[in-house]
């Protein structure tokens, strides 16, 4: 019979078993040792080789399934990544297309707006050309067909106004010429030269003063006739209304100042006489609240000029609260700040003084600054009294413009130096402009912020008056009666110049109302002319005048607007 027992490949006992036998024969304890894990596993696998085989087959199957699943997962991830990349590319392309579309839309809108502006500009230019053609036709027909000329001129001004252009000077000149009765040319009522004209702040009155020792109060509404104010025995040097339009102050060479209550029905019978001066009173100036009055008089030989500060609300009678002296020469400028806390004086001695009201000493004023700045004729305080601008003439005939910051520290700075003799000046603090008028019709506008000097041309005679109007325009009057209304626009300023047709000879005095609507001039023949300065007012008067015409009028202009019919 064959031996079914597995053959042993080695000895019956290994060396370790012999060592255990030797230890037992020697009487030593036998160490029981656990067979190694590998031998145990080997023995277990020999005993359970079928189960191991099944387990290995199962593991191989699971491994295959796992590998297949992993492969499918990798493929799915790759497909998902590809899909995401494709989606990102598509979205990027869509965003690029959207951006290109937006750029095209924006470009189309910009081009449409530019085209619209060009069309609007073309329309405005065509309206401007129509306005100019109507103005030329109105000028041509002024003598032959006055009514048609007036219609054309009014339409020209209306079209220019609607198209945001300045009216043509020819059309406005026709309005001025054809509406002569609107100029209110009259004998002034004076028997000698008129030296001063002033408008009231409320626009209801105006006054004049002259060498015949009289002042005359005039009314705009015609409710009362001109009232002569006779209280001086010498020349009236200046007339000025208080800011509240309740009083009229007249200064005279008889060394007195008269205050007239213009609201009273007996205004000519009740003047308040201020007699604090000893010499000719040259100038007067009110504070903005109408409480304070600053007056200056000519200096007596060897004595300082008299500059007095009056409190018009003192009990009983206006009182002198301070005498400002220290000027040895004719006072060329004496002005109060709007808040009444500063006074500026300048004299022919070349010195200027700035006085500050000291609250700790009542109503008295103290000298804040004294300096030699040359002949200073023009002084303008800002509406908030925080600064002032002075215009001085140097020894070489140059014009020096300074701006003063008023506060605890007074810092005058030189804005500009011009080669022009300053005969007239005004300041526009809002737009930071100063205008200077000269002997030969020069007009220069200085902007102290931009440091620019803009010449304004159009005058050829001595500048008599310059004023910045509330609408920002510049009004100027020369010695021959040429009135110009200029819109300052940098290099392309737009100007309107008209000659006042009724006034002949040299202009002695000129004034412009506070609202900029009226201009008054008087000449050496004692004639006074008051008329509107704004051409749009004359345009309305022209349309109203044409409504009242009877008979057929041939119209070659466009229809007037409803509000003008």
């Amino acid at each position: 019979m064959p031996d079914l027992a597995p053959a042993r490949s080695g000895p019956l006992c290994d060396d370790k078993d012999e060592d255990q036998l030797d230890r037992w024969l020697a009487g030593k304890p036998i160490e029981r040792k656990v067979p190694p894990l590998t031998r145990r596993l080997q023995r277990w696998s020999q005993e359970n080789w079928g189960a191991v085989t099944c387990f290995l087959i199962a593991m191989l199957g699971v491994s295959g399934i796992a590998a297949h699943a992993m492969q499918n997962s990798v493929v799915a991830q790759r497909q998902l990544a590809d899909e995401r990349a494709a989606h990102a590319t598509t979205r990027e392309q869509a965003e690029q297309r959207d951006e290109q579309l937006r750029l095209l839309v924006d470009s189309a809108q910009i081009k449409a707006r530019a085209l619209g502006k060009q069309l609007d500009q073309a329309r405005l230019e065509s309206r401007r050309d129509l306005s100019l053609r109507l103005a030329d036709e109105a000028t041509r027909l002024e003598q032959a067909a006055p009514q048609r000329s007036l219609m054309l001129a009014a339409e020209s001004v209306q079209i220019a106004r609607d198209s945001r252009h300045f009216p043509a000077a020819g059309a406005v000149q026709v309005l001025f010429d054809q509406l002569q009765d609107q100029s209110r040319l009259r004998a002034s009522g004076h028997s000698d030269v008129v030296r001063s004209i002033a408008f009231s702040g409320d626009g209801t009155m105006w006054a004049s003063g002259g060498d015949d020792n009289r002042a005359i109060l005039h009314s705009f509404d015609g409710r009362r006739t001109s009232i002569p104010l006779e209280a001086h025995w010498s020349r009236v040097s200046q007339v000025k209304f208080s800011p509240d339009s309740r009083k009229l102050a007249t200064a005279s060479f008889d060394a007195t100042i008269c205050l007239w209550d213009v609201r009273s029905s007996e205004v000519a019978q009740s003047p308040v006489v201020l007699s604090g001066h000893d010499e000719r009173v040259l100038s007067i100036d009110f504070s903005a609240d109408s409480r304070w009055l600053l007056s200056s008089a000519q200096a007596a030989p060897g004595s300082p000029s008299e500059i007095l500060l009056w409190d018009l609300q003192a009990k009983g009678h206006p009182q002198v609260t301070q005498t400002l002296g220290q000027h040895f020469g004719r006072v060329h400028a004496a002005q109060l700040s709007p808040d009444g806390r500063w006074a500026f004086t300048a004299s022919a001695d070349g010195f200027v003084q700035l006085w500050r009201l000291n609250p700790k000493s009542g109503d008295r004023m103290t000298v804040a600054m004294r300096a030699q700045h040359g002949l200073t004729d023009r002084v303008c305080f800002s509406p908030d009294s925080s600064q002032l601008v002075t215009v001085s003439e140097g020894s070489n005939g140059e014009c020096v413009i300074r701006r003063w910051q008023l506060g605890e520290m007074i810092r005058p700075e030189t804005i500009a130096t011009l080669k022009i003799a300053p005969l007239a000046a005004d300041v526009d603090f809002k737009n930071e402009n100063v205008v200077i008028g000269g002997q030969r019709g020069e007009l220069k506008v200085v902007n102290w912020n931009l440091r620019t000097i803009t010449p304004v041309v159009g005058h050829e005679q001595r500048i008599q008056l310059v004023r910045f109007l509330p609408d920002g325009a510049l009004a100027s009057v020369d010695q021959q009666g040429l009135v110009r209304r200029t819109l300052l626009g940098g290099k392309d300023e737009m100007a309107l110049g008209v000659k006042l047709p009724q006034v002949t000879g040299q202009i002695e005095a000129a004034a412009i109302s506070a609202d900029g609507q009226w201009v008054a001039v008087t000449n050496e023949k004692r004639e006074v002319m008051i008329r509107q300065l704004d051409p749009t007012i004359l345009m309305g008067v022209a349309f109203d005048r044409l409504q009242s015409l009877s008979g057929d009028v041939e119209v070659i202009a466009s229809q007037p607007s409803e509000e003008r019919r």
Side-chain angles (χ1 to χ4, degrees):
M1 297 276 310
D3 189 3
L4 297 178
R8 297 181 180 272
S9 59
L12 295 175
C13 60
D14 54 9
D15 295 336
K16 293 183 178 179
D17 293 338
E18 292 180 357
D19 293 339
Q20 294 292 336
L21 180 60
D22 292 338
R23 292 178 62 85
W24 181 77
L25 293 175
K28 296 179 179 179
I30 298 174
E31 295 180 359
R32 297 182 60 85
K33 293 183 178 181
V34 180
L37 180 59
T38 55
R39 181 179 297 180
R40 293 171 59 190
L41 289 176
Q42 183 179 5
R43 183 179 301 174
W44 183 84
S45 62
Q46 290 176 357
E47 294 175 353
N48 301 282
W49 60 273
V52 171
T53 302
C54 292
F55 175 74
L56 292 177
I57 293 173
M59 289 297 295
L60 290 175
V62 171
S63 299
I65 294 173
H68 186 268
M70 185 177 294
Q71 183 178 3
N72 292 337
S73 176
V74 171
V75 172
Q77 289 179 358
R78 288 179 179 177
Q79 292 178 352
L80 181 59
D82 294 340
E83 291 177 358
R84 288 178 177 177
H87 178 69
T89 303
T90 304
R91 183 174 60 184
E92 183 177 357
Q93 293 175 353
E95 291 178 353
Q96 291 178 355
R97 288 194 297 270
D98 292 342
E99 183 65 23
Q100 293 175 356
L101 182 60
R102 281 195 295 269
L103 292 176
L104 291 175
V105 172
D106 293 343
S107 178
Q109 291 178 350
I110 292 174
K111 291 180 179 179
R113 285 195 294 267
L115 182 60
K117 290 181 179 179
Q118 291 177 0
L119 292 176
D120 293 340
Q121 186 66 27
R123 294 191 190 98
L124 293 178
E125 292 299 329
S126 64
R127 300 285 287 177
R128 174 62 175 169
D129 293 340
L130 176 60
S131 175
L132 293 176
R133 290 197 300 270
L134 293 178
D136 293 340
E137 187 69 11
T139 303
R140 187 180 67 84
L141 298 176
E142 184 175 6
Q143 300 297 327
Q147 294 179 0
R148 187 188 301 177
S149 175
L150 182 59
M151 171 68 83
L152 294 173
E155 281 293 337
S156 175
V157 174
Q158 176 71 41
I159 292 172
R161 182 185 181 189
D162 293 342
S163 59
R164 299 191 296 275
H165 284 93
F166 205 73
V172 179
Q173 185 68 63
V174 170
L175 293 180
F176 272 60
D177 294 342
Q178 295 296 328
L179 301 175
Q180 294 183 9
D181 56 335
Q182 294 295 315
S183 63
R184 305 190 184 187
L185 178 70
R186 66 185 71 185
S188 64
H190 293 276
S191 59
D192 209 335
V193 178
V194 179
R195 297 293 182 183
S196 178
I197 300 177
F199 289 95
S200 63
D202 58 7
T204 61
M205 297 168 288
W206 62 281
S208 58
D211 290 355
D212 58 355
N213 308 339
R214 295 195 306 170
I216 300 180
L217 181 65
H218 309 267
S219 175
F220 269 116
D221 53 18
R223 296 180 182 177
R224 58 183 181 181
T225 58
S226 299
I227 303 174
L229 307 177
E230 300 176 344
H232 298 287
W233 55 263
S234 185
R235 172 190 300 179
V236 175
S237 57
Q238 189 178 15
V239 295
K240 182 167 287 190
F241 285 92
S242 61
D244 59 9
S245 301
R246 293 180 177 272
K247 296 186 181 299
L248 172 68
T250 59
S252 174
F253 278 18
D254 63 3
T256 65
I257 303 169
C258 288
L259 295 177
W260 310 82
D261 185 1
V262 297
R263 300 294 180 88
S264 173
S265 59
E266 300 180 353
V267 55
Q269 307 300 324
S270 58
V272 177
V273 181
L274 310 182
S275 55
H277 288 285
D278 297 329
E279 295 292 336
R280 301 173 177 179
V281 181
L282 302 178
S283 67
I284 48 180
D285 188 46
F286 284 95
S287 62
D289 58 2
S290 302
R291 175 182 178 181
W292 305 96
L293 179 70
L294 189 68
S295 61
S296 64
Q298 187 173 357
S303 62
S305 298
E306 296 177 321
I307 305 172
L308 303 182
L309 180 66
W310 303 80
D311 184 1
L312 303 183
Q313 297 180 4
K315 294 182 179 180
H317 192 276
Q319 300 291 329
V320 176
T321 62
Q322 179 71 26
T323 300
L324 311 182
Q326 301 181 8
H327 279 305
F328 290 88
R330 178 184 176 125
V331 175
H332 283 260
Q335 188 169 340
L336 276 174
S337 64
D339 61 2
R341 294 181 61 85
W342 300 90
F344 185 91
T345 61
S347 171
D349 59 8
F351 281 89
V352 299
Q353 293 185 108
L354 185 64
W355 301 78
R356 177 165 44 201
L357 180 65
N358 190 351
K360 296 181 179 179
S361 58
D363 297 330
R364 299 182 63 83
M365 302 187 78
T366 58
V367 179
M369 185 174 184
R370 175 179 169 86
Q372 187 171 9
H373 283 166
L375 183 60
T376 303
D377 281 337
R378 310 294 169 181
V379 181
C380 294
F381 280 92
S382 62
D384 60 358
S385 302
S386 64
Q387 55 184 326
L388 70 96
V389 172
T390 61
V391 180
S392 306
E393 183 177 355
S395 58
N396 297 326
E398 74 278 5
C399 172
V400 182
I401 306 173
R402 295 182 178 89
R403 185 166 66 101
W404 305 56
Q405 298 286 349
L406 303 181
E408 293 300 327
M409 297 296 295
I410 302 172
R411 303 184 301 274
E413 63 169 332
T414 300
I415 297 176
T417 301
L418 308 176
K419 294 182 179 180
I420 179 176
L423 301 180
D426 195 24
V427 182
D428 181 5
F429 285 94
K430 179 180 179 181
N431 295 312
E432 301 177 332
N433 286 327
V434 183
V435 59
I436 306 296
Q439 180 70 34
R440 294 185 296 274
E442 312 100 309
L443 275 177
K444 294 186 178 180
V445 179
V446 180
N447 185 285
W448 66 73
N449 183 27
L450 302 177
R451 300 293 180 179
T452 59
I453 301 177
T454 304
V456 179
V457 299
H459 289 285
E460 297 179 356
Q461 301 293 327
R462 172 190 175 104
I463 301 297
Q464 190 77 17
L465 173 69
V466 289
R467 263 282 306 276
F468 284 107
L469 303 180
D471 62 357
L474 173 64
S476 55
V477 183
D478 66 20
Q479 203 166 24
Q480 294 300 320
L482 176 63
V483 180
R484 290 181 64 85
R485 179 186 174 98
T486 306
L487 293 180
L488 300 176
K491 298 180 180 179
D492 302 324
E493 68 270 9
M494 301 173 63
L496 164 67
V498 293
K499 178 71 166 61
L500 303 181
Q502 298 90 344
V503 177
T504 58
Q506 291 188 350
I507 303 299
E508 292 291 337
I512 296 176
S513 62
D515 58 5
Q517 299 296 336
W518 298 92
V519 58
V521 296
T522 178
N523 62 359
E524 57 198 15
K525 297 182 179 181
R526 302 184 300 279
E527 293 176 325
V528 176
M529 189 194 70
I530 308 289
R531 77 172 311 154
Q532 289 97 344
L533 184 60
D534 191 344
T536 58
I537 297 178
L538 293 179
M539 177 189 63
V541 174
F543 281 127
D544 294 339
R545 180 71 54 81
L546 292 168
Q547 286 181 2
S548 62
L549 295 177
S550 59
D552 296 331
V553 178
E554 182 182 354
V555 179
I556 60 175
S558 60
Q559 287 286 341
S561 59
E562 287 293 332
E563 62 185 21
R564 297 296 183 189
R565 292 182 179 180

